[in-house]
Structure formats: C-alpha cells, structure tokens
Amino acid sequence: MPDEDLMQLAATWDLEEWGVSPRLIGFVYSYIKHRYKDGETLNDIERNLGIAHEGISHSLRALEEYGYLAISRARKPFQYRVIK
C-alpha cells in the first residue's frame, strides 16, 4: 500500500524530471519505511515490489531530492534511510 499522506504531497511536486507518479513515490517510500532491510539491493527491492528498476530508482532520487530519504552511496549496495 502506498503511503497516502506522502502520495498526496508528492502530487504537488514537479515529478516530470523523473517520470514517476505520486502513487509510485508513495509505494517506494512505504516499502523503504516499513519493509526495507540493510543490504537489500535495488534488484531485491524491484523483485519485492514488482516494479521496474527504473521507476524505483527515479522514485528514490525524487524522495532524496525532496528530503524524505537519505541515500548512502559510500558502498554497494547503497543504503536507504527514511528522514521524514
């Protein structure tokens, strides 16, 4: 289930650059917030959500840009952490 509050907020964001919908943003955010485990790869997240790699990647970048996630790129796989 997508995070409804974030989905409504994301509807006010300029998402054209990333080519994702507020609903997809809500799904990815909810997954990272509730089900993500350190060490999961983007491929793991893709398999668990059933959403294409590109959509997840763009959603993660949008969430980082708007201050909802922190992405640690110091090592692979990248680590994701909810800020808000």
Side-chain angles (χ1 to χ4, degrees), residues 54-69:
E54 184 176 312
I56 295 169
S57 180
H58 290 188
S59 295
L60 290 168
R61 283 191 247 150
L63 286 162
E64 181 183 39
E65 177 78 21
Y66 282 94
Y68 282 80
L69 287 182

Side-chain angles (χ1 to χ4, degrees), residues 1-73:
M1 292 297 289
D3 184 290
E4 293 290 331
D5 292 335
L6 184 64
M7 196 170 73
Q8 290 176 7
L9 183 61
T12 68
W13 300 350
D14 180 11
L15 298 175
E16 188 174 321
E17 174 183 352
W18 294 288
V20 296
S21 69
R23 185 167 176 79
L24 181 55
I25 296 278
F27 268 116
V28 172
Y29 178 78
S30 183
Y31 179 85
I32 298 298
K33 187 173 183 178
H34 299 290
R35 294 183 46 208
Y36 171 77
K37 296 174 188 79
D38 284 344
E40 282 186 330
T41 66
L42 201 51
N43 288 336
D44 295 331
I45 297 169
E46 178 183 16
R47 190 172 33 257
N48 291 336
L49 283 176
I51 298 171
H53 180 277
E54 184 176 312
I56 295 169
S57 180
H58 290 188
S59 295
L60 290 168
R61 283 191 247 150
L63 286 162
E64 181 183 39
E65 177 78 21
Y66 282 94
Y68 282 80
L69 287 182
I71 302 174
S72 172
R73 295 175 174 86

